[in-house]
Amino acid sequence: DEETAKLALEAANTGHLVITTVHASSMISVKNRLVEMGCDPNLLVQNLLLIAHQELIPIKGKLSLNFTWKKMR
């Protein structure tokens, strides 16, 4: 929720390591979702180190885990 997102960003801004999950469809949409929740885009740029994205995708009748990540700075 909006309050939790803002608190997590404030904690990261004060030097705390914050690891969290965000329901989003892609790595780019994670940042957009946080902005939609009221997070300051400038604080996101200063504090976001890494976004990891995983999804289950069907391959020949089986589910496979696709994992990607992007280092933000």
Side-chain angles (χ1 to χ4, degrees), residues 24-65:
S25 61
S26 69
M27 288 190 290
I28 296 298
S29 62
V30 169
K31 182 184 73 73
N32 295 338
R33 181 115 166 89
L34 290 170
V35 170
E36 286 173 8
M37 284 191 231
C39 291
D40 181 352
N42 294 320
L43 284 179
L44 281 175
V45 169
Q46 294 172 11
N47 293 293
L48 194 59
L49 295 175
L50 175 84
I51 294 176
H53 178 256
Q54 67 182 25
E55 62 183 324
L56 290 173
I57 53 173
I59 298 177
K60 295 181 183 177
K62 298 180 182 178
L63 287 178
S64 178
L65 181 63

Side-chain angles (χ1 to χ4, degrees), residues 30 47-52 67-73:
V30 169
N47 293 293
L48 194 59
L49 295 175
L50 175 84
I51 294 176
F67 181 80
T68 55
W69 63 275
K70 181 176 181 180
K71 188 174 180 180
M72 303 307 290
R73 46 180 160 135

Side-chain angles (χ1 to χ4, degrees), residues 7-21:
L7 287 172
L9 192 55
E10 287 178 27
N13 197 41
T14 59
H16 293 81
L17 174 63
V18 178
I19 300 173
T20 187
T21 60

